[in-house]
Amino acid sequence: MVIYGLISGSIITLGAVGLSLTYGILNFANFAHGDIMTLGAFLALICLTLMQALRIPATTFGALSFGLPMVLALMMAMVLTGGVAILIDRILYRRLRKSGRIVLLIASVGVAFGLRNVIQFIWGPLPQYYSAEIQLARKIPLLGIRIKPDQIFIIGLAAFLVGMLHLFLQKTKTGKAMRAASDNIELARVSGINIDRVILYTWIIGAALAAAAGILGGLENKFITPNSGWEMLLPIFAAVILGGIGSPYGAIAGGMIIGLSEEISTAFISTAYKPAVPFVIMVAVLLIKPRGLFGGK
Amino acid sequence: MESIIGVLNYGAFFAITAGIYAILCLGLNIQWGYTGLFNIGIAGFYAVGAYTSALLCGPPPGPLDWRTVGGLGLPFPVGVLGAILMCGIVALFIGFISLRLKEDYLAIATIGIAEVIRLILKNESWLTNSVWGLKHIPPPLHSPIQRGISGFLSANPDASVAVKALISKSYNWFYLGLVLGIVAILYWVSERSIRSPWGRVLRAIREDETVVSAAGKNVFRFKMQSFVLGSMIMGMAGSLYAHYAMFIDANSFEPLYGTFLVWVMLIAGGSGNSKGAILGAFIIWGIWAGTDFMSGYLALSAIRVASLRIITIAILLELVLLLRPSGLLGEEKFVSKMMGKSKRGG
Amino acid sequence: MALLEAKRITAGYGETEILHRVFVKVNEGEIVSIVGPNGAGKSTLLKTILGLLKPREGKVILEAEDITGLDPDRIVRKGICYVPQTDNVFASLTVEENLEMGAFIRKDNYQNRIQEIYTIFPDLEERRKDRAGKLSGGQRQMVAIGRALMLEPKIILLDEPSASLAPKLVRLIFQKISEINRSGVGILMVEQNIREALRIADQAYVLAMGRNRFHDTGQALLNNQEVGKLYLGD
């Protein structure tokens, strides 16, 4: 159970970190974030098909259920999703920034429904599969727990991406400027920080992480549907609020807590209500500590 | 002649649905248009209203039902009142946790409650009959009107086919009158309240909350009143839907139908304007229903057509936001006078 | 020679007009104070000079160049830096990162400049790895001024640098402002602490209701009986 909690926590974390970044810097709740995840998952599917057509050998890596094409598809989909996010920003959000955060929020709801239905239009509502293989859990001799190799990959990749993000935010000038803009965008502007560039990076990183979350979710569940991302939206928001809005580090803790409590809750309540767990946690946070555990905005 | 009657009868069906959406829009207009409260869980309130009314007025559980409660067979007005009351309670709870905080928390909290409500509808079969839904919800005054219809038909066997077709659908015309009557009453109440001192405080809260609280008004209380009132109106719409459709299940309340369309309607019509709310409901429902007609000419599967229609509505929303952000009618003058007074420098 | 000049500025928000044909001039090497009652439009004037607000009428001239209506980031590049009154540090960034953000547009090595700022404000060097949000009010003000100095500006605009500071710190901050000025940076500041602000100012303006009311040297205004009666409570 804890293992499953860690896995779903890793996926929620990737989504939540991206959402928290865009929330903090662009100052609006992006309700299309879940559907950006779905988009990433489906773009990976396209890339995968493409590579099959190019006959890139699909020999699996060791015990993993997938090989080089999947890894390449993952990277390509992250880049492509970042590109789509920028495109949406240029066409839509940038023109609406002056109208205020709630107008942006409404626009993002429109984007959410639009994206989901573009995906549904192309692929239909039925589940799509990355691969047909079924993988068995193995016992890790050292720790004595049963886990599938793919799941180790999921947790490992999530940790790697979050680590890279950490280095980026702490060590690079653009990363620091992103944190500065998230703290106080007006002050960033009058300090001469190039806000347009900060926003560009925010969308690329947020969307790329969302794509990774969508794809890893697909690997874990073995399928993706046009609704996959939307179903993740509530836990992701709960994680962001729990960690404090605009604090990517809070989002990591929030994501792990939500993932673990979702899984652990199944010991006490019907699994049918698992999706309600994040909401209950969120309500508790809003009542007790509305700025989140790590004091966001 | 028959085709005209057919169109007329379809028109009644169309206008009933559009009227129910207009009620939802009027509820949202009080919350968003007047007070600036972002409710994105409209579907949840709509569902609570529909189920409450259905359980209060519907038949007791039959042998094939899963549910063990409900079906009190109470009269229609009790169902509507119950729906209003229940939504008020749910809104109080949501308002209590989120109205003190920044506006996006309300958005997230309402989407959360809508999700929880959906899960309850799906899973608590003792109450909601789960996926089988609630059947035989009695339409108000159905049997006297049906009796009247059969009376007329047997008394006038020689009436033309067209007249017969029209008369036999009288119930729809009655229901349309009921829905439009409620729309008119809500419009009147809404216009009266926005011009009252209470409405002025709501508008001031929307423009600048700090000024209002500096003036000694309890912002939280006013927001709560507005949120609860708007949600109650949504519950009423749910109840009217249930008694018209006579059958409801968890799938009647997909987030799309309940929430997204209502938002697009209000924004397209003009938030802060009750006329705009009603106009938006009819126009967007017209586009929505119209695209359904056109889909017959496309060589696409039903699911693809459905996606295409939603994409159309989504693009329409973004275009309104980009090109005509105040909607077709915009706000009425007395509201927009407030706009200039934002923050002042020292 | 005039370093910065704001001529006949009319500006406001929405339908409200706050400044009416206001005039302010800073010569090279000068400290200029703008004082006046609350709501006189002092902060609005600074925001208009920096381009955060576009004037409806009038011109902003920096060293004979018309910079009216440019975007803030362009104006910052031209050598005007601004320290807002509140929220003037990046709270979750360290002191040193705050200074680095001040130098965001510098392409050269600015480590020396950071050292120079630490010489002006030795307190900051001790706390360079601490988050700015954890500092005291006075130290935050130092971080904010330090950040503005990173670009080696020709002039800095200070919005009430002494607001909500203890009297001892007020004196320290004003002392530092004089020190910075002596190193060749022009200062245009808005102040509520009228006496101190007039004392260190070369020139001073009194604004009331968005209009120029008095203009003279700081010392002359301190001795001006009318100013004393109206604003200093003499």
Side-chain angles (χ1 to χ4, degrees):
Chain A
M1 216 152 59
V2 174
I3 292 295
Y4 280 93
L6 283 179
I7 293 155
S8 94
S10 308
I11 295 165
I12 294 172
T13 296
L14 282 181
V17 168
L19 181 65
S20 195
L21 273 180
T22 51
Y23 207 154
I25 292 168
L26 303 159
N27 194 25
F28 80 101
N30 181 12
F31 275 81
H33 198 75
D35 298 287
I36 295 277
M37 287 168 59
T38 318
L39 178 72
F42 276 87
L43 286 175
L45 194 67
I46 298 182
C47 298
L48 214 53
T49 324
L50 199 72
M51 273 177 281
Q52 251 162 21
L54 292 174
R55 296 183 190 286
I56 290 179
T59 355
T60 56
F61 290 146
L64 295 174
S65 73
F66 52 84
L68 183 64
M70 189 67 225
V71 176
L72 286 176
L74 180 108
M75 292 192 288
M76 284 163 69
M78 285 174 72
V79 174
L80 288 173
T81 313
V84 173
I86 291 170
L87 201 68
I88 297 173
D89 184 65
R90 288 292 119 112
I91 296 173
L92 186 65
Y93 295 138
R94 188 164 71 169
R95 293 161 205 251
L96 292 175
R97 271 203 266 285
K98 281 206 176 79
S99 319
R101 44 212 300 262
I102 295 293
V103 171
L104 285 168
L105 199 162
I106 298 171
S108 79
V109 176
V111 170
F113 280 105
L115 271 181
R116 192 178 329 155
N117 282 283
V118 168
I119 293 166
Q120 183 149 316
F121 182 80
I122 301 172
W123 282 279
L126 296 176
Q128 303 287 324
Y129 303 87
Y130 287 136
S131 84
E133 263 182 71
I134 291 181
Q135 201 180 30
L136 295 174
R138 305 179 176 204
K139 209 162 186 143
I140 297 181
L142 207 62
L143 298 165
I145 44 173
R146 296 192 75 83
I147 187 168
K148 293 176 200 160
D150 280 7
Q151 294 172 328
I152 298 177
F153 174 79
I154 292 171
I155 297 176
L157 184 69
F160 170 75
L161 289 174
V162 169
M164 291 299 286
L165 178 71
H166 167 75
L167 288 178
F168 176 76
L169 289 176
Q170 294 299 332
K171 300 292 175 206
T172 69
K173 200 164 158 181
T174 308
K176 287 175 190 175
M178 281 173 66
R179 282 159 56 219
S182 176
D183 260 8
N184 188 338
I185 195 147
E186 274 313 308
L187 187 63
R189 203 187 303 274
V190 301
S191 303
I193 291 175
N194 185 341
I195 298 296
D196 280 342
R197 194 167 83 184
V198 166
I199 290 177
L200 196 75
Y201 273 90
T202 307
W203 279 119
I204 297 178
I205 294 171
L209 291 177
I215 297 163
L216 293 184
L219 277 180
E220 168 62 11
N221 296 330
K222 290 284 150 215
F223 64 86
I224 49 176
T225 77
N227 279 323
S228 299
W230 174 252
E231 284 156 12
M232 294 287 290
L233 192 66
L234 201 56
I236 286 173
F237 264 110
V240 169
I241 288 178
L242 184 62
I245 288 169
S247 148
Y249 298 99
I252 300 170
M256 286 327 246
I257 295 173
I258 298 285
L260 283 170
S261 33
E262 266 193 325
E263 293 301 331
I264 291 171
S265 76
T266 56
F268 309 101
I269 56 167
S270 145
T271 34
Y273 282 102
K274 200 163 88 175
V277 172
F279 178 68
V280 173
I281 295 177
M282 194 169 79
V283 167
V285 174
L286 289 182
L287 286 176
I288 301 162
K289 210 167 173 356
R291 288 163 73 91
L293 295 178
F294 302 91
K297 281 196 179 178
Chain B
M1 194 63 197
E2 274 97 290
S3 63
I4 295 176
I5 301 297
V7 168
L8 271 178
N9 280 336
Y10 179 81
F13 163 75
F14 169 84
I16 289 170
T17 326
I20 291 173
Y21 272 109
I23 295 172
L24 287 170
C25 282
L26 285 168
L28 183 64
N29 189 39
I30 290 179
Q31 295 177 340
W32 164 248
Y34 292 168
T35 328
L37 302 175
F38 198 89
N39 178 358
I40 188 166
I42 301 166
F45 292 103
Y46 187 61
V48 167
Y51 270 84
T52 308
S53 199
L55 287 171
L56 287 174
C57 307
L64 291 175
D65 278 338
W66 285 74
R67 72 186 159 102
T68 52
V69 296
L72 305 176
L74 295 168
F76 170 72
V78 179
V80 177
L81 280 179
I84 291 174
L85 208 67
M86 200 63 195
C87 280
I89 293 168
V90 175
L92 266 178
F93 168 70
I94 290 296
F96 181 74
I97 54 174
S98 60
L99 282 180
R100 290 174 203 274
L101 307 167
K102 225 166 49 170
E103 54 268 61
D104 356 3
Y105 286 103
L106 178 67
I108 301 163
T110 48
I111 214 172
I113 195 77
E115 177 68 9
V116 171
I117 290 168
R118 197 182 60 85
L119 290 175
I120 292 176
L121 297 185
K122 259 194 175 154
N123 298 306
E124 297 304 310
S125 45
W126 59 274
L127 181 68
T128 64
N129 238 3
S130 168
V131 287
W132 287 272
L134 299 177
K135 289 182 267 295
H136 309 302
I137 305 160
L141 299 178
H142 191 253
S143 35
I145 290 172
Q146 272 330 105
R147 260 200 309 274
I149 294 170
S150 31
F152 175 89
L153 291 180
S154 52
N156 301 287
D158 310 326
S160 72
V161 182
V163 171
K164 279 183 184 163
L166 195 60
I167 294 293
S168 62
K169 291 285 184 192
S170 308
Y171 188 77
N172 274 2
W173 295 99
F174 158 74
Y175 209 84
L176 176 62
L178 178 73
V179 169
L180 292 185
I182 289 175
V183 170
I185 293 168
L186 287 175
Y187 171 77
W188 182 78
V189 170
S190 176
E191 286 291 295
R192 279 300 291 264
S193 62
I194 195 60
R195 290 185 163 82
S196 71
W198 181 75
R200 277 199 292 276
V201 175
L202 294 190
R203 267 143 43 206
I205 288 175
R206 193 195 56 182
E207 298 310 332
D208 195 337
E209 225 175 84
T210 42
V211 169
V212 180
S213 52
K217 302 272 186 215
N218 185 341
V219 170
F220 174 69
R221 215 171 63 212
F222 279 95
K223 278 186 175 177
M224 184 67 112
Q225 287 163 352
S226 158
F227 185 63
V228 169
L229 182 67
S231 304
M232 285 173 154
I233 293 176
M234 291 169 187
M236 189 193 271
S239 167
L240 283 170
Y241 171 76
H243 288 272
Y244 178 66
M246 298 190 284
F247 166 76
I248 50 172
D249 66 4
N251 291 328
S252 322
F253 307 103
E254 286 290 309
L256 170 73
Y257 284 95
T259 306
F260 186 53
L261 271 182
V262 179
W263 267 102
V264 179
M265 286 166 176
L266 182 62
I267 287 168
S271 350
N273 184 327
S274 325
K275 278 191 212 82
I278 298 169
L279 181 71
F282 277 80
I283 291 180
I284 298 296
W285 186 248
I287 295 175
W288 183 250
T291 48
D292 197 18
F293 272 125
M294 286 195 304
S295 63
Y297 300 99
L298 295 171
L300 292 169
S301 69
I303 283 166
R304 287 205 160 153
V305 170
S307 298
L308 208 55
R309 289 169 74 197
I310 298 165
I311 295 168
T312 313
I313 294 286
I315 291 174
L316 194 72
L317 169 71
E318 309 297 6
L319 287 178
V320 171
L321 289 177
L322 285 172
L323 305 176
R324 207 180 162 83
S326 52
L328 283 173
L329 295 187
E331 282 192 69
E332 287 180 52
K333 279 274 150 44
F334 67 89
V335 179
S336 50
K337 255 188 291 184
M338 309 287 297
M339 297 299 260
K341 285 192 197 164
S342 51
K343 280 154 216 146
R344 264 162 162 259
Chain C
M1 190 198 132
L3 174 62
L4 178 74
E5 210 172 348
K7 292 176 172 172
R8 298 192 324 276
I9 298 286
T10 300
Y13 302 89
E15 287 167 21
T16 354
E17 202 170 276
I18 292 174
L19 298 174
H20 314 279
R21 300 167 75 83
V22 170
F23 165 83
V24 168
K25 185 169 139 185
V26 184
N27 288 317
E28 228 157 84
E30 271 185 348
I31 297 185
V32 173
S33 294
I34 303 172
V35 297
N38 262 333
K42 304 182 300 277
S43 300
T44 310
L45 179 60
L46 292 192
K47 285 180 187 158
T48 313
I49 292 174
L50 198 79
L52 285 167
L53 196 66
K54 307 288 175 222
R56 291 172 190 171
E57 197 194 323
K59 289 211 175 318
V60 182
I61 313 279
L62 178 73
E63 289 182 326
E65 188 188 351
D66 187 353
I67 57 164
T68 322
L70 291 184
D71 283 334
D73 56 314
R74 297 278 304 281
I75 290 183
V76 169
R77 280 164 208 266
K78 302 252 178 223
I80 303 182
C81 285
Y82 168 63
V83 181
Q85 182 187 344
T86 51
D87 294 325
N88 52 16
V89 297
F90 299 113
S92 72
L93 269 59
T94 65
V95 169
E96 190 146 313
E97 285 171 340
N98 264 275
L99 297 181
E100 283 175 46
M101 286 301 107
F104 187 81
I105 54 180
R106 282 181 73 149
K107 300 274 177 269
D108 55 339
N109 188 334
Y110 46 78
Q111 288 307 320
N112 291 339
R113 187 64 183 162
I114 293 184
Q115 280 312 318
E116 283 169 35
I117 305 250
Y118 286 151
T119 353
I120 305 174
F121 299 114
D123 282 24
L124 297 187
E125 184 157 27
E126 280 170 38
R127 310 207 57 176
R128 49 195 283 252
K129 293 285 171 210
D130 286 343
R131 285 176 172 217
K134 289 199 294 186
L135 303 183
S136 69
Q139 287 166 331
R140 279 187 200 215
Q141 200 62 46
M142 293 176 197
V143 172
I145 297 175
R147 180 191 51 71
L149 287 172
M150 282 303 291
L151 287 179
E152 302 181 34
K154 295 170 184 149
I155 180 167
I156 54 178
L157 314 179
L158 298 169
D159 195 348
E160 300 202 19
S162 77
S164 66
L165 293 185
K168 213 175 111 189
L169 281 168
V170 172
R171 237 164 292 137
L172 179 70
I173 290 287
F174 278 120
Q175 195 188 318
K176 293 294 177 193
I177 291 172
S178 299
E179 201 178 313
I180 292 161
N181 174 248
R182 279 196 295 279
S183 74
V185 182
I187 309 269
L188 176 63
M189 68 174 168
V190 157
E191 259 302 332
Q192 292 279 21
N193 218 318
I194 299 177
R195 219 177 277 276
E196 290 286 339
L198 293 181
R199 197 163 285 146
I200 68 164
D202 298 301
Q203 304 272 334
Y205 294 78
V206 179
L207 290 193
M209 310 280 284
R211 290 174 204 279
N212 280 82
R213 193 69 198 274
F214 297 97
H215 166 217
D216 212 328
T217 64
Q219 205 54 43
L221 284 181
L222 262 181
N223 300 328
N224 182 319
Q225 284 194 340
E226 209 178 338
V227 171
K229 211 161 56 192
L230 283 171
Y231 305 112
L232 295 171
D234 287 350

